[in-house]
């Protein structure tokens, strides 16, 4: 008989387990799933190319996000971590997949860029190994792979690691263009994340209500010869944490 639940974290882990089968990209075999995904570097996956997100470049070019410490959350092959290091940020980049990090490290070495890569579940690392506060936390494509209950962990991470006045920038599946549109409850009933969750702008505003919205728009499509990554099935948004901390990022209760 299992009576192990005592803490909120115990409940979150139990809910993780509901998505552990069927090749989902979360928990159980998640690191293995992503490792297999990255194993063939020559696959024509758009985000395998060493091109940074067009929206992130535009924030930096416009001086929207001042230089400082940055976290690339679910960095994959390090496209954006490398850009940030090149632009003078002190970068921590975390991913579950050793295969992804091996290639990201190779790319950083070849470019002579200094990035601190860490392997593991970013939410577990947030509790000890990550040295916040960060001026910028960038999440390109990780958030939409989280099961609904792990939004709690995501918000707790922002609460703990994002500096007052710091920026959280997001790229995630846009409803109607990419991702599962099942309701949160139906995702649990299905026991599958359906390859990633679609979000509407209203849903993003609801989740990140503790942050100030700066600009929420679709990513701008890029031609094949562009040096930037741009897929219009993604919403992009920088949000800013209020300086006076009047609002918590992570709502209590
Ligand atoms: C769609 S990929 C995007 C990779 C990269 N951000 C990019 O845009 O090129 C999502 C990444 O998130 C990573 N990931 C998912 N859950 C994670 C977690 N809990 N902790 C760290 N990385 C995670 C996966 O390993 C994968 O590399």
């Amino acid at each position: 008989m299992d009576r192990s639940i005592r803490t909120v974290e115990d409940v979150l882990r139990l809910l993780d387990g509901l998505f552990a089968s069927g090749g989902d990209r979360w928990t159980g075999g998640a690191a293995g799933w992503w490792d297999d995904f990255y194993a063939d570097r020559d696959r024509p996956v758009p985000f395998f190319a060493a091109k940074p997100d067009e929206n992130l470049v535009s924030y930096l070019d416009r001086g929207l996000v001042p230089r400082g410490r940055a976290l690339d959350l679910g960095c994959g092959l390090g496209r954006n971590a490398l850009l940030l290091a090149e632009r003078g940020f002190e970068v921590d980049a975390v991913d579950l997949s050793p295969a992804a990090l091996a290639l990201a490290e190779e790319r950083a070495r070849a470019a002579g860029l200094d990035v601190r890569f860490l392997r593991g579940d970013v939410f577990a690392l947030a509790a000890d190994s990550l040295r916040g506060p960060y001026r910028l936390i960038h999440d390109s494509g990780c958030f939409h792979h989280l099961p609904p209950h792990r939004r709690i962990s995501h918000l707790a991470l922002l609460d703990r690691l994002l500096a007052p006045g710091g920026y959280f920038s997001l790229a995630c599946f846009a409803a109607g263009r990419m991702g599962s549109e099942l309701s949160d409850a139906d995702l649990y009933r299905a026991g599958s994340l359906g390859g990633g969750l679609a979000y509407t702008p209203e849903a993003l505003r609801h989740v990140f209500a503790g942050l100030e919205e700066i600009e929420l728009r679709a990513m701008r499509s890029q031609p094949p010869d562009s040096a930037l990554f741009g897929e219009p099935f993604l919403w992009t948004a920088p949000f800013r944490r209020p300086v006076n901390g009047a609002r918590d990022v992570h709502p209590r209760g």
Side-chain angles (χ1 to χ4, degrees):
M1 191 191 303
D2 172 23
R3 294 283 178 267
S4 54
I5 289 187
R6 198 163 49 97
T7 66
V8 171
E9 195 50 41
D10 292 336
V11 176
L12 297 180
R13 272 198 226 104
L14 177 131
L15 293 173
D16 287 344
L18 302 182
F19 296 104
S21 62
D24 257 316
R25 297 149 204 220
W26 178 254
T27 68
W33 192 96
W34 283 108
D35 253 4
D36 292 345
F37 182 83
Y38 287 112
D40 178 2
R41 299 172 174 197
D42 300 324
R43 273 193 316 137
V45 176
F47 63 85
F48 280 14
K51 299 179 175 190
D53 290 342
E54 68 78 14
N55 58 301
L56 182 59
V57 171
S58 111
Y59 309 151
L60 302 181
D61 287 351
R62 283 184 278 158
L64 204 63
V65 181
R67 221 173 290 158
R69 291 166 70 192
L71 172 66
D72 188 355
L73 188 167
C75 66
L77 303 182
R79 308 177 293 113
N80 295 305
L82 265 55
L83 168 83
L84 291 168
E86 197 181 284
R87 297 288 186 103
F89 285 78
E90 190 187 326
V91 187
D92 287 346
V94 178
D95 204 279
L96 282 174
S97 160
L101 289 177
L103 181 49
E105 274 168 350
E106 228 176 79
R107 286 178 172 178
R109 243 192 327 273
L113 291 169
D114 193 20
V115 173
R116 188 170 83 124
F117 289 104
L118 293 117
R119 175 159 65 91
D121 172 9
V122 69
F123 305 115
L125 292 174
D128 42 39
S129 325
L130 292 174
R131 338 155 264 181
Y134 294 101
R135 181 137 286 281
L136 171 67
I137 297 183
H138 186 64
D139 178 330
S140 184
C142 185
F143 174 73
H144 58 217
H145 288 302
L146 302 180
H149 59 278
R150 283 293 168 186
R151 286 178 212 134
I152 297 169
S153 310
H154 199 288
L155 290 171
L157 179 149
L158 294 178
D159 216 21
R160 188 179 181 114
L161 297 179
L162 188 60
Y167 290 80
F168 166 56
S169 85
L170 175 71
C172 81
F173 288 160
R177 300 179 192 171
M178 189 68 91
S180 169
E181 304 205 3
L182 288 185
S183 68
D184 284 354
D186 282 344
L187 291 166
Y188 290 95
R189 290 188 188 103
S192 165
L193 301 176
L197 278 57
Y199 283 87
T200 60
E202 294 68 34
L204 293 176
R205 289 182 183 119
H206 171 70
V207 173
F208 298 110
L211 301 171
E212 297 164 357
E213 178 185 328
I214 306 294
E215 170 188 272
L216 178 50
R217 63 165 172 86
M219 195 180 258
R220 297 193 178 110
S221 180
Q222 299 295 309
D225 59 348
S226 169
L228 306 180
F229 174 86
E231 293 289 353
F233 57 75
L234 297 166
W235 293 126
T236 65
F239 294 92
R240 184 167 184 258
R241 184 169 201 175
V243 177
N244 295 326
R247 285 181 289 169
D248 283 328
V249 179
H250 186 204
R252 323 267 162 206

